[in-house]
Amino acid sequence: MTKKIFMTRRIPVRAEEMLRDAGYDVTVSAKEGVLTRDELKSTLAQAPYDGVASLLTDAIDADMIAAMPASVKIIANYAVGYNNIDVPAAHERGIVVTNTPDVLTSTVAEHTVALILTLASRIAEGDRFVREGKFVGWDPLLLLGTDIKGKTLGLVGAGRIGSEVAEVLHRGFGMKVVYSDVKNNEALEASCNAKFCATHEEVLAEADVVSVHVPLLPTTHHLINAERLALMKKSALLVNTSRGPVVDEVALVEALKSGLIRGVALDVFEFEPKITADLLDLPNVVVNPHIASATEETRTKMAEMVATNIIETLEGRNAPNKIV
Ligand code: DGY
């Protein structure tokens, strides 16, 4: 019997090509945007799909998993993060869950460095200034930024992406590196002379630039909260390219308004795609629409991984990116 795959949204065509070449019947959601919960539930009930290619915008919780037909053997998430999926609930039903690690590491790291430089050199503010017709000539005191060379980078979470950010900033800008994580990263310590801090608080107090790279878990929800923001240097910059709810945005707005930190760049938001009131009115905030992994090369590689994970699972082999 031909195996049926449902893709909750169009992703780069490479995934479809690979699946069709493998003889699979692929249905891509005809909707332009994200399927609502009810739409996704009823769509899945319409055909005995063998696999589902999901996105981080699909809430695949226990209820959704229970509603899936018994035929579903794999949920292949088109993202490295999989906080949108209740993995234990999937495993309980014998469904394999996969993600797309590694291929996006350097792309997200590059984007993170770009955001840090944008903040430090006030590039977004300068761009707005010129577009608004305010540029009337060179001014010795106009939009003064801050150097990052030789300063301290603080990583909250030092996995693959955080480590690559550190490599670039340590080698390229001579930044010192301090980090906190659930365990030591010996490779990072060796390559960047990075200092392990036993607590996030230590990192926040010591760093000139804080970059957040933790997965969203119950233990990391609002990890950056009012108390921790208060520990940061007044001159510090904060960047988040991980998951929005790791930062308490109401506390962040307060910290920015009261000058507790110098600026923030966010690629992700607590209530994505909604933005917390006031965030957009503050000049020292740089915002992006969750595009840190969005290069043609990387998004295509992610699509290939989704197809490979589905094919390997449905052919009875081990998916390379199986979440255990
Ligand atoms: C991910 O993969 O988790 C990113 O947030 C989107 O590419």
Side-chain angles (χ1 to χ4, degrees), residues 56 77-83 100 104 108 161 241-243 267-268 290-294 298-299 302:
L56 55 87
N77 215 34
Y78 182 67
V80 64
Y82 49 88
N83 53 286
T100 62
L104 46 67
V108 177
I161 297 171
T241 52
S242 64
R243 284 291 182 267
D267 182 52
V268 288
H290 203 152
I291 52 166
S293 71
T298 290
R299 289 284 167 92
M302 289 166 67

Side-chain angles (χ1 to χ4, degrees), residues 27 34 57 71 83 95 101 126 128 144 155 191 242 267 322:
T27 305
V34 180
T57 40
S71 52
N83 53 286
I95 300 174
R128 283 196 296 274
L144 298 182
L155 296 175
S191 65
S242 64
D267 182 52
K322 195 166 156 178

